[in-house]
């Protein structure tokens, strides 16, 4: 069965985010006051084949742990959608 995965990767709360700080500062300079807590992350989409949803979840977890994320400084979550 085919599945479509949408993976959201974010820095752990304890990790400083200089890119987020730069965007927050830029927004303020552009007149968008009241913005705080900006964090920058990654969004990844992929399609995969698996026997069932449990296997697809296991495969995506393995991909994230081995290549797509840095487990030391990043968290991830994902959504799986069956593809007809």
């Amino acid at each position: 069965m085919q599945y479509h995965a949408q993976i959201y990767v974010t820095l752990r709360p304890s990790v400083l985010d200089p890119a987020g700080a730069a965007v927050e500062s830029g927004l303020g300079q552009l007149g968008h006051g009241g913005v705080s807590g900006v964090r920058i992350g990654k969004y990844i989409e992929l399609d995969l084949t698996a026997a069932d949803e449990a296997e697809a979840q296991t495969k995506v977890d393995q991909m994230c742990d081995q290549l797509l994320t840095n487990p030391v400084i990043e968290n991830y979550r994902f959504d799986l959608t069956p593809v007809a």
Side-chain angles (χ1 to χ4, degrees):
M1 187 163 192
Q2 281 288 116
Y3 292 91
H4 181 75
Q6 296 171 299
I7 305 164
Y8 305 88
V9 183
T10 56
L11 288 172
R12 291 181 183 261
S14 60
V15 176
L16 295 177
D17 186 357
V23 169
E24 186 175 319
S25 174
L27 289 170
Q29 291 173 9
L30 292 171
H32 300 286
V35 176
S36 63
V38 176
R39 307 284 287 175
I40 303 296
K42 297 183 279 189
Y43 173 73
I44 303 163
E45 288 189 13
L46 57 86
D47 294 323
L48 69 147
T49 302
D52 55 29
E53 188 169 343
E55 181 183 333
Q57 289 177 347
T58 299
K59 284 184 171 187
V60 173
D61 274 325
Q62 290 173 342
M63 289 181 225
C64 289
D65 289 338
Q66 294 174 353
L67 178 68
L68 300 178
T69 70
N70 179 343
V72 174
I73 63 169
E74 294 174 321
N75 293 323
Y76 68 89
R77 68 176 179 82
F78 59 87
D79 299 320
L80 279 176
T81 307
V83 177

